[in-house]
Amino acid sequence: MQKQTAMSDLSARFSDFAGRECGMQKSGRYLLAVSGGLDSVVLCDLMHDQGFSIAIEHCNFGLRGEESERDESFVRALAESLHVPGFFKRFDTAEHAARERISVQEAARGLRYDWFDSMIAIDRRSPEVMGGRRPPLRLITAHHADDNIETLLMNLFKGTGISGLRGMLPDYGRVLRPLLFAFREELERYAHARGLAWVEDSSNREVKYTRNKLRLQLMPLIEEMFPQARQSLASEIRFFSD
């Protein structure tokens, strides 16, 4: 009974948020950025189960050796199991970062979104889309409420105006984020209830990255002092967005 409740509750809230905040419709076409981790696997399952027209994109940044290969293989199998198109791209991220004199994280983000944007641009120039015979693709990412709280804190500490206090927006033109309403533990409960499999990115446990330090070190300390901190911060994000 608990499993059924976890599934139906998240599914209903997703349907409401996706339509109300992201303007998503069953008649639309959506391109999902899928790493193979919990968040993007749950997003795939929700959208596929609710009858959205989806395709999957996966970036292999070549930064984690065999683990990167494992992730790509997993996402390929996921696309096949859902019977949806899959698009895959490999990058020499370390070489690009060195050439551009930027961090590896910045390089990966730039390469990722440049590719996503190029896929969207190609689709929008197609005769079918230009002629109005089918809707254009929209890019979907699996950012959730915890990601948004981390973004808010990073913006605050770096210095920000009111726009930075909004965190990530559900509909930001180039990208839709229909999972921003949900915390990670809710996604995990849904995944277990549905019997979903996913892969873990070992770099998410490395505290050399700023976002990981916030997630693994700072947030536990904040919640020790203020147990409702995440819920309060999520509410503040909604307030500043309004």
Side-chain angles (χ1 to χ4, degrees):
M1 184 64 178
Q2 274 189 326
K3 286 186 176 182
Q4 188 64 37
T5 301
M7 290 188 297
S8 60
D9 176 63
L10 189 74
S11 182
R13 289 164 61 212
F14 173 82
S15 180
D16 174 69
F17 188 88
R20 176 169 43 84
E21 299 292 340
C22 301
M24 292 168 55
Q25 301 176 343
K26 299 294 175 64
S27 59
R29 297 166 55 241
Y30 301 100
L31 189 61
L32 278 58
V34 178
S35 66
L38 169 70
D39 317 332
S40 57
V41 167
V42 168
L43 178 61
C44 279
D45 188 76
L46 283 165
M47 293 193 69
H48 185 264
D49 186 60
Q50 294 190 14
F52 285 97
S53 175
I54 64 173
I56 285 173
E57 278 193 329
H58 175 81
C59 298
N60 184 338
F61 296 111
L63 296 170
R64 291 177 287 118
E66 292 183 4
E67 194 174 281
S68 293
E69 300 303 311
R70 176 209 65 184
D71 292 357
E72 181 178 330
S73 296
F74 176 87
V75 177
R76 286 184 181 276
L78 176 63
E80 290 176 8
S81 70
L82 297 176
H83 305 290
V84 300
F87 303 93
F88 299 85
K89 184 82 170 180
R90 293 183 171 224
F91 299 103
D92 188 339
T93 312
E95 189 276 334
H96 178 76
R99 186 176 66 250
E100 298 296 323
R101 298 182 180 179
I102 57 178
S103 71
V104 169
Q105 278 187 304
E106 187 179 352
R109 177 179 173 79
L111 290 168
R112 177 191 193 205
Y113 279 103
D114 284 349
W115 182 47
F116 291 166
D117 288 346
S118 70
M119 293 287 290
I120 297 294
I122 290 170
D123 176 76
R124 290 187 177 180
R125 291 195 299 268
S126 68
E128 293 83 1
V129 171
M130 293 185 70
R133 292 187 293 279
R134 67 178 181 181
L137 278 172
R138 296 295 304 274
L139 176 64
I140 308 284
T141 65
H143 293 106
H144 51 72
D146 292 290
D147 295 322
N148 216 8
I149 289 168
E150 292 159 10
T151 297
L152 168 66
L153 292 176
M154 290 172 69
N155 289 345
L156 277 172
F157 298 147
K158 290 187 295 184
T160 185
I162 190 67
S163 61
L165 296 179
R166 300 179 303 172
M168 294 182 284
L169 299 178
D171 183 346
Y172 192 56
R174 79 195 300 207
V175 59
L176 301 176
R177 304 180 178 107
L179 284 183
L180 285 182
F181 70 92
F183 290 101
R184 190 182 192 280
E185 66 242 22
E186 297 179 279
L187 304 183
E188 192 163 357
R189 284 198 297 270
Y190 175 90
H192 286 307
R194 291 279 287 177
L196 303 179
W198 65 90
V199 292
E200 297 285 355
D201 181 343
S202 62
S203 68
N204 287 336
R205 298 189 295 271
E206 296 178 6
V207 294
K208 65 181 181 180
Y209 300 120
T210 301
R211 188 174 287 273
N212 288 357
K213 286 182 181 179
L214 281 172
R215 181 182 303 135
L216 301 174
Q217 296 181 339
L218 181 59
M219 280 307 300
L221 287 174
I222 292 175
E223 288 186 287
E224 186 178 316
M225 294 182 287
F226 306 101
Q228 297 300 313
R230 285 191 302 149
Q231 289 76 10
S232 297
L233 287 168
S235 295
E236 291 299 313
I237 289 172
R238 289 193 292 272
F239 172 75
F240 285 124
S241 294
D242 290 341

